[in-house]
Amino acid sequence: MERPLTHNIVPGKPPLSLAEYEKSGGYQAARKALTSMSPKEITEMVKASNLRGRGGAGFPTAQKWSFVPMGADAPQPKYLVVNADEMEPGAFKDRLLLEGDPHQLIEGVMISAFAIESEIAYIFLRKTYTLAARRILTAIAEAYEKGYLGKNIFGSGVNLSLHLHESAGRYICGEETALLNALEGKRAVPRNKPPFPPVVGLWGKPTVTNNVETICNIPHIIANGAAWFRALSRVPDGGTKIYGVSGKVQRPGAWELPLGTTIREIIEEHAGGMKEGLQLRAVLPGGASTDLLTADHLDVKMDFNSMQAADSRLGTGTMVAIDDRTCIVGLVLNIMRFFAQESCGWCTPCREGLPWAAKLLAAIEEGHGLPEDIERLELLTRLLSPGHTFCALAPGAMEPLQSALKYFEDDFHRHIKERRCPWK
Amino acid sequence: MLTFEEKKEIEALLPNYPTRQAAGIDALVILQRHRGWISDETLGQAAEFLRMTPAELDSVATFYNLIFRKPVGRHVILVCDSVSCWVMGGDTILDYLKSHLGIGFGETTPDGRFTLLPHVCLGACDKAPVMMIDDDLHVELDPETSPDRIDQLLSLYP
Ligand SMILES: Cc1cc2nc3c(=O)[nH]c(=O)nc-3n(C[C@H](O)[C@H](O)[C@H](O)COP(=O)(O)O)c2cc1C
Ligand code: SF4
Ligand code: FES
């Protein structure tokens, strides 16, 4: 089984230096792209690969790039931003790529920036990824020294400067338009859309934001072709996916597997199943903003369309396996408190609604909830559904709650009737 | 006044951006590294250097969880309070740290050594429960064996 994204990554070992990365075939794709392909040819190839963004929403990457105005009349500078904020609870996949193979990311940035004719790129990194920051800075310095960043790269006439921007810890900065405000040094609340960032982004200029894992796929598509990339996957969307499992399983961890691997295979084969004596009861499939699934969904494939058909989302692809001794109400309360804290406060339904939801959940969990609290929670899931708030944070916060009410409503009733948490 | 060293570090980052304002977060982080936290005075000095109003810069500073607008101890402990750590018994770690250090969240030990802050998912959920002390990640804090392990870790930060 091919593992293009992680084949250079050895757990516990430092990442490859530039020289070592080149020896293992690195920077060949960037050389090919910059010296023998046009931006249009690159975008066409990425389009044919059926790569969809790995940042959560699954937007087709080439389509996003194709919104950017191109040619001599296009506004300049244009920007490419790598979203390495990764602050969603339960998500830990980008860390692996950032710490494990920073040159792969830089090579991906080189090709992607060229594809949109951008000469300035930023890596937007969360502050607590301190090891990743050190390794990326080292790799960037090596790349400048070798002439792979800077002016006239590979003698192609292409220029690129790449900067690491370390954030200071706020989940909303991962949202594409809030991230732009953060980079501009403003309070990082989301922006109105339209205009969309590929047309009007950083400092009013065309800007593409892509997730770390998305960008890391690009060199492999260029090196091996679109058909090869599509064949890595078990579904029509191309590529592998870094899946992860946390929770009370035998071997928590992350693995690069074909896109479309089933939940069962990931949990049972790769994570080794649940710990002795525990039963799997629910799965939070792709981070804290995805709908819970149950033990009945184990054969669902973890890809964008299959997860949507199961009324959930692939999200980050890193799941939490929830055992039968963990209280679902307590779990949803933990998640809701996170979202209430991280709401940027810009729009009223989210700023007021999330703390209210957290308060209702806390009352139920602590044994003084009322039967009508369940209706109130249901009402909130509708009031904060997509289209009712300024950005996707609040609807995301509702996903674990609405699915918990759908699959585990009895747990809520038991808390209220017994006036305590039956799992404590 | 900003020191020579502080200015030099901030100025090194200015060319990364088309505006001075964009270096605001970098400047705050640099000053916090030198001074421990961002006092009103520091904020004013940074704003002046970036040619912003203090209110503009404060609207950025107060937005972030890791820009400290109040004094903190010599070492800051960030304990993950998010979902995977919670499932793995992270509450025990949070409670132990509180009682062991004798402080609540957001507080600093009387000797000025540690500040204790709960923090969102640290992106190491497969090694839960986890915490960071300053820039170092500490993983697999098994709730059953944690007291010894945590005491030992804390002793590394005098
Ligand atoms: C509240 C919120 C937080 C987000 N955080 C991240 C993040 O940390 N990393 C990320 O890549 N995308 C995050 N996203 C998604 C981004 O807005 C954006 O869709 C993504 O970076 C695009 O990359 P892609 O097209 O490569 O998937 C977040 C979205 C929302 C609404
Ligand atoms: S939905 Fe929440 S996070 Fe998004 S803009 Fe409104 S208040 Fe801010
Ligand atoms: S939930 Fe604690 S590290 Fe992710």
Side-chain angles (χ1 to χ4, degrees), chain A residues 79 87-92 95 122 126-130 163 165-170 172-173 182-189 203 245-248 252-253 275 284 320 323 326-327 330-331 334-335 338 341-342 344, chain B residues 13 15-19 21-26 29 32 52 56-60 62-67 78 81-84 86-89 91 118-128 132 134-137:
Chain A
Y79 298 98
M87 283 182 71
E88 174 138 335
F92 53 97
R95 178 199 279 276
Y122 294 100
R126 69 176 291 186
K127 188 172 193 294
T128 44
Y129 278 7
T130 48
H163 308 296
H165 174 93
E166 286 180 70
S167 184
R170 195 76 199 264
I172 192 63
C173 294
L183 266 175
E184 289 186 15
K186 296 177 181 153
R187 197 171 170 89
V189 294
W203 295 286
V245 182
S246 64
K248 289 185 182 154
K275 285 204 161 130
L284 185 66
V320 188
D323 57 275
T326 295
C327 170
L331 179 103
N334 176 283
I335 293 171
F338 161 82
Q341 175 191 305
E342 293 297 318
C344 82
Chain B
L13 293 170
N16 290 5
Y17 312 101
T19 66
Q21 176 179 9
I25 296 139
D26 297 314
V29 167
Q32 183 163 286
M52 297 167 71
E56 272 177 313
L57 189 60
D58 206 16
S59 77
V60 174
T62 55
F63 193 75
Y64 291 96
N65 297 325
L66 296 172
I67 300 294
L78 302 177
D81 67 355
S82 290
V83 61
S84 307
W86 179 82
V87 168
M88 297 304 283
D91 275 356
H119 197 69
V120 304
C121 173
L122 289 163
C125 324
D126 54 339
K127 302 186 180 71
M132 282 183 86
D134 300 338
D135 281 349
D136 314 320
L137 181 70

Side-chain angles (χ1 to χ4, degrees), chain B residues 24-89:
Chain B
I25 296 139
D26 297 314
L28 291 166
V29 167
I30 288 167
L31 293 172
Q32 183 163 286
R33 185 154 22 79
H34 285 281
R35 305 178 180 195
W37 64 292
I38 304 295
S39 66
D40 288 350
E41 198 193 351
T42 300
L43 187 93
Q45 292 166 353
E48 193 186 340
F49 183 76
L50 297 166
R51 302 195 196 114
M52 297 167 71
T53 65
E56 272 177 313
L57 189 60
D58 206 16
S59 77
V60 174
T62 55
F63 193 75
Y64 291 96
N65 297 325
L66 296 172
I67 300 294
F68 306 134
R69 288 288 277 115
K70 284 190 207 157
V72 291
R74 287 196 297 287
H75 306 286
V76 175
I77 306 175
L78 302 177
V79 205
C80 177
D81 67 355
S82 290
V83 61
S84 307
C85 289
W86 179 82
V87 168
M88 297 304 283

Side-chain angles (χ1 to χ4, degrees), chain A residues 254-276:
Chain A
W255 310 272
E256 181 181 7
L257 302 169
L259 187 63
T261 303
T262 63
I263 300 175
R264 182 187 301 283
E265 198 177 323
I266 297 166
I267 293 184
E268 291 179 359
E269 284 177 32
H270 299 279
M274 302 306 286
K275 285 204 161 130
E276 248 343 270

Side-chain angles (χ1 to χ4, degrees), chain A residues 169-324:
Chain A
R170 195 76 199 264
Y171 171 62
I172 192 63
C173 294
E175 196 277 338
E176 179 168 14
T177 61
L179 188 154
L180 300 179
N181 279 336
L183 266 175
E184 289 186 15
K186 296 177 181 153
R187 197 171 170 89
V189 294
R191 292 180 181 176
N192 220 350
K193 290 193 277 193
F196 290 94
V199 182
V200 181
L202 267 179
W203 295 286
K205 305 292 189 192
T207 304
V208 162
T209 301
N210 278 131
N211 172 258
V212 171
E213 189 181 350
T214 310
I215 296 283
C216 287
N217 273 301
I218 302 297
H220 305 291
I221 295 171
I222 299 301
N224 302 302
W228 168 86
F229 191 76
R230 287 197 308 271
L232 291 174
S233 167
R234 294 190 189 161
V235 293
D237 294 317
T240 60
K241 177 77 193 79
I242 299 185
Y243 294 110
V245 182
S246 64
K248 289 185 182 154
V249 290
Q250 300 279 1
R251 291 188 303 273
W255 310 272
E256 181 181 7
L257 302 169
L259 187 63
T261 303
T262 63
I263 300 175
R264 182 187 301 283
E265 198 177 323
I266 297 166
I267 293 184
E268 291 179 359
E269 284 177 32
H270 299 279
M274 302 306 286
K275 285 204 161 130
E276 248 343 270
L278 295 177
Q279 295 283 325
L280 179 79
R281 194 149 174 258
V283 178
L284 185 66
S289 66
T290 56
D291 283 89
L292 292 165
L293 294 174
T294 68
D296 295 337
H297 295 104
L298 285 177
D299 292 312
V300 174
K301 289 178 177 169
M302 287 277 283
D303 68 273
F304 301 103
N305 295 341
S306 312
M307 290 300 280
Q308 201 178 349
D311 284 331
S312 185
R313 290 190 307 119
L314 174 60
T316 61
T318 41
M319 60 180 104
V320 188
I322 299 147
D323 57 275
D324 54 347

Side-chain angles (χ1 to χ4, degrees), chain A residues 55-74:
Chain A
F59 198 84
T61 305
Q63 196 183 341
K64 189 186 282 189
W65 293 1
S66 69
F67 297 143
V68 176
M70 298 289 282
D73 297 338

Side-chain angles (χ1 to χ4, degrees), chain A residues 172 189-190 342-348 350-351 354 389-395:
Chain A
I172 192 63
V189 294
E342 293 297 318
S343 162
C344 82
W346 182 252
C347 67
T348 316
C350 170
R351 182 183 62 236
L354 297 184
T389 59
F390 195 70
C391 87
L393 181 139

